Amino acid sequence: MKILILNGPNLSRLDIREQSYYGDLDYPQLKSAIENRAAELKIEVDIKQSDSESELISWLHEAADKKQPVIINPAAFTHYSYAIRDAVAMLTAPVIEVHLSNPLSREEFRHTSVVSGVVNGTIAGFGAESYLLAILAMQKLVG
């Protein structure tokens, strides 16, 4: 099994974002943690990050064409990108939404996810462990 893991805007700058939400984890450490857990489970991952909505959509279209499972952290696009929502809705393989922080414990504008309605599930609030839990969940979904 190969899982596409997509990360949205500003995740490449974790180490300089609000530490009360993101801790002192930087993006290379996050990628390493994901890759290590996936390797332990003998799962191949392709991890990508972009600040560009159009690039994320292109990657989602490719995943749809390949029928590839996706774990996505849409980041700020979570709350307003109907274009990303529509691209996620095209996926026929399982898709899981993840967030490092718990959006419901943050500012009110973060309480709405336009993506959640078209994914198999959402895992949020566990820091890097959110991704690791998503890999385990994906393994069960794909069988």
Side-chain angles (χ1 to χ4, degrees):
M1 173 174 46
K2 182 175 184 178
I3 302 171
L4 177 61
I5 299 178
L6 296 179
N7 293 292
N10 300 314
L11 280 157
S12 64
R13 305 192 44 99
L14 280 177
D15 54 328
I16 61 171
R17 295 188 68 192
E18 304 99 324
Q19 286 198 344
S20 61
Y21 295 114
Y22 303 109
D24 59 1
L25 183 73
D26 65 21
Y27 189 69
Q29 290 169 325
L30 175 63
K31 279 186 68 176
S32 179
I34 295 167
E35 290 165 344
N36 290 340
R37 177 61 60 89
E40 289 171 9
L41 298 169
K42 299 189 180 354
I43 295 172
E44 187 178 350
V45 292
D46 182 11
I47 304 170
K48 299 180 179 189
Q49 187 278 327
S50 181
D51 296 329
S52 167
E53 185 178 31
S54 64
E55 189 166 35
L56 289 165
I57 291 166
S58 292
W59 291 334
L60 288 164
H61 290 172
E62 289 173 15
D65 293 343
K66 295 176 184 175
K67 297 177 178 32
Q68 184 175 23
V70 174
I71 294 171
I72 184 168
N73 182 342
F77 292 136
T78 301
H79 316 294
Y80 66 90
S81 178
Y82 295 105
I84 287 180
R85 182 231 180 264
D86 289 347
V88 169
M90 291 180 209
L91 297 169
T92 55
V95 58
I96 298 173
E97 176 185 9
V98 299
H99 298 283
L100 292 163
S101 67
N102 178 359
L104 294 175
S105 70
R106 298 186 62 183
E107 304 91 341
E108 190 170 333
F109 73 88
R110 296 186 195 275
H111 294 187
T112 300
S113 169
V114 298
V115 176
S116 289
V118 292
V119 299
N120 293 82
T122 300
I123 300 171
F126 299 101
E129 193 69 23
S130 293
Y131 289 86
L132 309 181
L133 293 166
I135 290 170
L136 289 172
M138 187 65 77
Q139 189 178 40
K140 290 189 183 293
L141 286 172
V142 172

